[in-house]
């Protein structure tokens, strides 16, 4: 388990192993996520870095018209009695 000391100003140095595990370099930003009393540290990513994260090789892109059509079909299906 890694640990560090918090200064009077609320600052700390992330241990080398933590920086390595997150792939952090000087100047990188980190994000803190608080869940059920625990804090998780993540390397902050820009929106540009997220491009293609959800892409699937077997799935072709869908046009806006196709999306609208699918949304309309699903809404019509839900509006039917007993659905």
């Amino acid at each position: 388990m890694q640990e560090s000391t918090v200064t009077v100003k609320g600052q700390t140095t992330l241990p080398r192993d933590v920086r390595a595990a997150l792939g952090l370099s000087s100047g990188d930003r980190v994000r803190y996520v608080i869940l059920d009393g625990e804090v998780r540290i993540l390397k902050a990513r820009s929106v540009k870095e997220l491009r293609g994260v959800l892409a699937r090789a077997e799935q072709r892109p869908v046009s806006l018209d196709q999306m609208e059509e699918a949304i309309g079909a699903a809404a019509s299906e839900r509006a039917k009695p007993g659905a």
Side-chain angles (χ1 to χ4, degrees), residues 39-64:
V39 179
R40 296 184 185 185
I41 301 174
L42 308 168
K43 182 177 181 178
R45 293 181 168 184
S46 71
V47 174
K48 289 180 181 179
E49 290 181 78
L50 298 176
R51 181 177 183 191
V53 168
L54 300 177
R56 295 183 191 160
E58 70 278 358
Q59 188 175 17
R60 294 202 282 169
V62 179
S63 71
L64 290 176

Side-chain angles (χ1 to χ4, degrees), residues 6-68:
V6 178
T7 69
V8 174
K9 292 183 178 183
Q11 299 172 337
T12 188
T13 300
L14 294 175
R16 181 180 15 193
D17 292 343
V18 173
R19 292 191 313 267
L22 294 175
L24 293 172
S25 300
S26 179
D28 285 343
R29 298 181 61 83
V30 292
R31 178 168 292 147
Y32 301 92
V33 180
I34 302 170
L35 300 168
D36 299 325
E38 294 183 2
V39 179
R40 296 184 185 185
I41 301 174
L42 308 168
K43 182 177 181 178
R45 293 181 168 184
S46 71
V47 174
K48 289 180 181 179
E49 290 181 78
L50 298 176
R51 181 177 183 191
V53 168
L54 300 177
R56 295 183 191 160
E58 70 278 358
Q59 188 175 17
R60 294 202 282 169
V62 179
S63 71
L64 290 176
D65 289 336
Q66 290 170 317
M67 283 188 227
E68 291 289 341

